[in-house]
Amino acid sequence: MIARERIGTIERLVLSRPERRNALTPAMLDDLATHLENAADAHAVLLLGEGKAFCAGFDLDLCVGEGGDDNLRALLAGLSRCIVAMRALPCPVVLGVQGAAIAGGCALLGGGDIVIASPDAKLGYPVTRLGISPAVSAPFLRAIPDGQGRRLMLDPGLIDGRRAHETGLVHELSNEPAAHAMELTERLTAKPPHALAATKRWLNELAPADAQRGLDTSLSLVGNAESHERLASALKKT
Amino acid sequence: MTDFATLDIAGPIATLTMNRPDARNAMSLPLLDAMHAILDDLPSGPHVLVITGAGKSFCAGMDLKSVLGDENAPPKLLHNIAKLTTRLRNLPAVVVAKVNGAAIGGGCGLACAADVVLSHADAKLGFPEVDLGVCPAVVAPLLVRKIGAGPARNILLRGGLMSGTRAHEVCIVDELADDRDGLDTLCDSVAERLAAGGANAIAATKRLLTEIDGSGDGALAAKGADLSASVLATPEARERLSAMFRG
């Protein structure tokens, strides 16, 4: 469910489960993380979502009933691994975001270096009402001003691409974000890799992110009664 | 010999002009020395310091051309620029960058070290370091502080230049005039507005802001200078720069 293609020196990765708005499964995150970890020789990485939505977050159907807690833990760990892998790559990572980038889908943005989104994209972390903590992405939200980060993590409301652009979560708006992201990625491959790598490494050092701390906080809430109850009742409604 | 930098004082407003217009005010060692000398002797009276460039450009950044043949020169220049930016943060006066034209690489970084950045729609600003095979390590902490880590990542890894209008959108420029003439009017009015503040209140507020963001501590800027110098010394970077200056 991850389509991988090497186009010249560009590693192009696409979340490909459009019938479920690219809802993430543990296996998808495992594949995505592995592809990212193996892309160190690419000149630039492009991450897209197939269909109308970039990514609707975790597949919550997997998070209830027997094995639900284990799946939720695997999803959180896999998500964290993907974000860390994007940051650790020496080359720039560009994301093209159309439609929804919600919860785990929005968290993926935290690993990207350049995010291009459609003005009407919907972004945010509406997960506290499911008894889940979005803390896993909090260390990476330091990329935007603290006030905006707090609001986004604690308020389950969504923001649109325009607002996300104003806050710095999205860096450029486009009605064709995937095509635009590909175009930019191609332009990046004209720049010398050693300069991109040195600059990215220094930027990582200037804004360090304690990924483990965020993941541990999210994991600490898995399996409690509040989240069991809320997840079950949310899924019943839909 | 010409002065590579000049200072004019009009009441509470001092204006420091980089004066190497034939080289787009690129920061050579003599130009940096002249700026440091002016800051050394800055009278305590004015509490607004406007920095601008003579001629059409604000500052084309570090004078790469002058250092290409000399391996010892880049570290010296980079540390000198790092010190200059840290000094501006530690000045009691509020610093206004009047970006009258091109502000490129270290020149744009110099603007980001100011407290307030003014420019006009047609100015060209940006950080093309990655295009040249070098690393904008001295300016990165300044840009991260000014516009945030995420937007800084986008701009520094993209490289290239942007218009004054775009620089205003991404908040590198705080106030924008329509054109070069409009910038004079804008800068006069902003400088007067700032000068209307009490010198002590401005100094105390600026000191606190500098303490909170840590930008008065030169250690990070110095580390950036070392990093930038090490990338500049790589064969890839030297090759790319030589080719550029030959072309």
Side-chain angles (χ1 to χ4, degrees):
Chain A
M1 285 178 278
I2 305 291
R4 179 193 166 265
E5 195 182 352
R6 190 56 77 93
I7 305 167
T9 56
I10 297 171
E11 175 85 359
R12 182 174 177 271
L13 300 170
V14 185
L15 308 172
S16 299
R17 201 188 173 201
E19 72 283 5
R20 290 296 310 272
R21 299 199 303 156
N22 300 319
L24 300 164
T25 67
M28 276 169 84
L29 286 170
D30 195 46
D31 283 354
L32 180 60
T34 303
H35 291 320
L36 289 166
E37 285 160 3
N38 291 335
D41 61 330
H43 201 140
V45 169
L46 177 65
L47 178 61
L48 304 171
E50 188 184 336
K52 284 188 176 160
F54 173 73
C55 175
F58 293 165
D59 183 343
L60 294 174
D61 289 345
L62 302 173
C63 300
V64 290
E66 202 180 331
D69 289 344
D70 286 341
N71 280 335
L72 182 52
R73 283 190 197 96
L75 284 163
L76 288 164
L79 175 63
S80 182
R81 197 179 138 209
C82 287
I83 300 171
V84 169
M86 284 191 253
R87 274 294 164 96
L89 277 171
C91 66
V93 177
V94 180
L95 273 68
V97 176
Q98 79 287 5
I102 291 169
C106 192
L108 287 172
L109 271 59
D113 296 301
I114 301 177
V115 180
I116 300 176
S118 49
D120 58 356
K122 295 281 173 230
L123 303 100
Y125 302 90
V127 297
T128 49
R129 61 186 179 205
L130 301 174
I132 297 174
S133 164
V136 61
S137 38
F140 299 92
L141 270 192
R142 288 183 53 200
I144 65 174
D146 186 56
Q148 302 299 332
R150 270 167 196 269
R151 194 242 136 146
L152 210 50
M153 296 257 110
L154 296 172
D155 179 347
L158 299 179
I159 60 174
D160 65 12
R162 275 182 212 94
R163 183 64 186 153
H165 183 237
E166 284 165 7
T167 62
L169 186 63
V170 163
H171 307 119
E172 195 175 341
L173 293 176
S174 165
N175 290 320
E176 303 275 350
H180 208 114
M182 180 64 195
E183 219 174 277
L184 172 68
T185 308
E186 277 169 358
R187 283 209 304 276
L188 289 176
T189 61
K191 302 176 198 293
H194 75 276
L196 291 169
T199 303
K200 180 161 169 174
R201 204 181 313 120
W202 180 231
L203 287 164
N204 287 348
E205 199 179 325
L206 290 173
D210 189 346
Q212 191 61 46
R213 183 91 193 277
L215 174 60
D216 288 345
T217 302
S218 286
L219 286 175
S220 72
L221 289 178
V222 178
N224 69 34
E226 180 184 81
S227 85
H228 277 172
E229 212 173 275
R230 284 168 176 259
L231 271 168
S233 82
L235 288 175
K236 246 179 253 152
K237 272 184 228 154
T238 53
Chain B
M1 179 186 138
T2 50
D3 290 329
F4 287 118
T6 60
L7 186 72
D8 298 294
I9 296 178
I13 301 166
T15 302
L16 193 169
T17 306
M18 293 174 275
N19 186 29
R20 214 187 151 208
D22 50 331
R24 300 197 300 158
N25 302 315
M27 291 188 276
S28 59
L29 275 176
L31 184 140
L32 286 162
D33 287 345
M35 290 182 81
H36 280 289
I38 285 173
L39 295 179
D40 288 340
D41 299 332
L42 203 63
S44 59
H47 55 281
V48 178
L49 175 68
V50 176
I51 299 181
T52 193
K56 285 185 176 168
S57 302
F58 176 72
C59 173
M62 174 172 153
D63 191 350
L64 284 167
K65 204 171 178 175
S66 74
V67 300
L68 209 58
D70 178 359
E71 276 175 32
N72 299 316
K76 230 187 273 175
L77 260 177
L78 286 158
H79 278 279
N80 207 318
I81 294 170
K83 264 192 209 123
L84 179 65
T85 60
T86 310
R87 279 190 90 170
L88 295 178
R89 286 298 174 130
N90 286 316
L91 277 183
V94 56
V95 177
V96 178
K98 181 185 180 186
V99 179
N100 52 305
I104 296 167
C108 199
L110 180 66
C112 290
D115 301 299
V116 179
V117 182
L118 310 175
S119 191
H120 62 87
D122 304 327
K124 287 275 174 242
L125 298 90
F127 301 96
E129 279 89 339
V130 291
D131 301 289
L132 307 176
V134 295
C135 174
V138 176
V139 301
L142 297 163
L143 188 67
V144 166
R145 285 192 194 100
K146 184 158 175 75
I147 68 170
R153 203 170 258 281
N154 168 51
I155 284 167
L156 295 182
L157 290 172
R158 253 178 213 248
L161 295 176
M162 65 189 109
S163 67
T165 305
R166 176 74 186 143
H168 183 235
E169 281 167 11
V170 300
C171 297
I172 289 176
V173 170
D174 300 303
E175 283 192 59
L176 189 75
D178 291 337
D179 51 33
R180 179 66 192 79
D181 290 340
L183 178 62
D184 287 336
T185 315
L186 174 67
C187 188
D188 288 348
S189 79
V190 170
E192 271 166 39
R193 197 166 74 214
L194 291 167
N200 292 330
I202 285 178
T205 306
K206 177 161 169 176
R207 201 181 314 122
L208 176 68
L209 292 170
T210 299
E211 199 182 309
I212 289 172
D213 73 11
S215 59
D217 175 6
L220 198 62
K223 193 173 176 189
D226 284 337
L227 175 61
S228 215
S230 74
V231 175
L232 242 171
T234 58
E236 294 101 315
R238 301 192 73 81
E239 209 171 281
R240 206 164 249 257
L241 288 172
S242 314
M244 190 182 76
F245 292 124
R246 269 200 308 271

